[in-house]
Amino acid sequence: MKGVALVTGASGGLGQAVACRLAAEGWSLILSGREAVGLDRVLSKLVGGGHLVVVADCSTVAGARQILDVAKASQIRPTALAHCVGNIRLGAVHRMSETDFDECLSANLVSAFHTLAAFVGALREANSPGAAVLVSSAAARIGTPNHEAVAAAKAGVEGLVRGAAATYAANGIRVNAVAPGIMDTPAASRILGSSAGREAAARQYPLPGIGAPDELAELMVWLLSAQAARVTGQVWSLDGGFSAIRPLVK
Ligand SMILES: NC(=O)c1ccc[n+]([C@@H]2O[C@H](COP(=O)([O-])OP(=O)(O)OC[C@H]3O[C@@H](n4cnc5c(N)ncnc54)[C@H](OP(=O)(O)O)[C@@H]3O)[C@@H](O)[C@H]2O)c1
């Protein structure tokens, strides 16, 4: 067994892919999300045993702590965190409602802050090293029309990653993030739901196409592994070149 990993947002498209890969590589898992049915569905797909399901809303301090408290009561101590909670709220800044903005910040940034705090708190209590990987977005790295809210939230996640990586490096706790372009998950279903939307989205990328959650999951699992023992404070783009290069215009 590799150890215990906490996967938040585990019933989502990315969370599920990460959970399946971690379990296949020998990790025991704590699957967390707000609703039991989806988590049980993911649990039934996992190889190996000893996995735990915790229903909680990790966008609150109490919810995030609850996950670690339930694990502790079951004598399970995660040393890895894959925080897969988030949403996509699109719209120009002058049109975005207060509710949409609040939900975007809460799911993407507030949840990351409180979950990382609870995870690191548990590691420090046990005097244990560990590793966390959070999820940013290509939209935080390059200006993208109508992505103001999610860009602001994910830029906050990237700042959180660098700050926490610096604070806890001396404790052997690594903190990194990944920054994907669009992926085929329920969060992107409004954009990818029609063939026209799908083709338009795919064309935006220098390496055209739509990302698969499993390819991002592979990178996240590597960042949590011993092979990445010297990697911390980084944000790894996986976006077909979207945030770094301009395609050749013919
Ligand atoms: N898909 C894309 O194109 C794309 C692009 C860039 C970045 N990302 C990022 O990738 C990550 C994974 O998203 P996804 O694509 O896998 O989307 P998804 O399938 O919609 O999954 C998101 C998960 O987050 C959970 N969640 C949302 N708010 C929560 C909260 N307050 N507390 C607990 N769980 C909460 C949802 O659980 P419920 O079932 O409880 O709602 C869901 O399981 C997110 O951070 C997203 O911003 C996605």
Side-chain angles (χ1 to χ4, degrees), residues 12-14 34 57 59 84-86 108 135-136 154 181-183 185-187:
L14 178 62
R34 291 177 297 181
D57 183 347
S59 62
C84 301
V85 166
N108 290 296
V135 183
S136 180
K154 295 299 196 182
I182 197 161
M183 289 185 294
T185 70

Side-chain angles (χ1 to χ4, degrees), residues 87-90 93 95-108 149:
N87 62 24
I88 303 176
R89 291 283 185 276
L90 298 185
V93 69
R95 285 207 208 99
M96 177 146 300
S97 70
E98 188 174 0
T99 303
D100 271 352
F101 180 62
D102 287 348
E103 284 179 5
C104 187
L105 278 191
S106 173
N108 290 296

Side-chain angles (χ1 to χ4, degrees), residues 134-225:
L134 311 187
V135 183
S136 180
S137 163
R141 326 217 88 204
I142 185 167
T144 309
N146 299 316
H147 283 64
E148 291 90 315
V150 72
K154 295 299 196 182
V157 169
E158 295 193 9
L160 169 65
V161 162
R162 286 185 284 269
T167 302
Y168 301 114
N171 302 93
I173 299 172
R174 301 185 297 105
V175 187
N176 291 290
V178 291
I182 197 161
M183 289 185 294
D184 206 348
T185 70
S189 60
R190 278 178 132 173
I191 305 163
L192 302 179
S194 68
S195 51
R198 209 177 173 84
E199 279 162 28
R203 270 200 310 273
Q204 291 186 67
Y205 294 87
L207 297 173
I210 306 296
D214 195 48
E215 69 191 10
L216 191 67
E218 184 175 6
L219 174 58
M220 293 172 72
V221 170
W222 180 78
L223 284 167
L224 295 175
S225 74

Side-chain angles (χ1 to χ4, degrees), residues 56-120:
D57 183 347
C58 65
S59 62
T60 67
V61 173
R65 284 190 186 156
Q66 185 192 342
I67 301 169
L68 278 302
D69 288 348
V70 171
K72 189 178 171 185
S74 308
Q75 299 190 321
I76 296 172
R77 285 194 183 274
T79 55
L81 163 67
H83 183 62
C84 301
V85 166
N87 62 24
I88 303 176
R89 291 283 185 276
L90 298 185
V93 69
H94 73 281
R95 285 207 208 99
M96 177 146 300
S97 70
E98 188 174 0
T99 303
D100 271 352
F101 180 62
D102 287 348
E103 284 179 5
C104 187
L105 278 191
S106 173
N108 290 296
L109 177 56
V110 176
S111 74
F113 192 95
H114 296 323
T115 306
L116 185 63
F119 172 69
V120 165

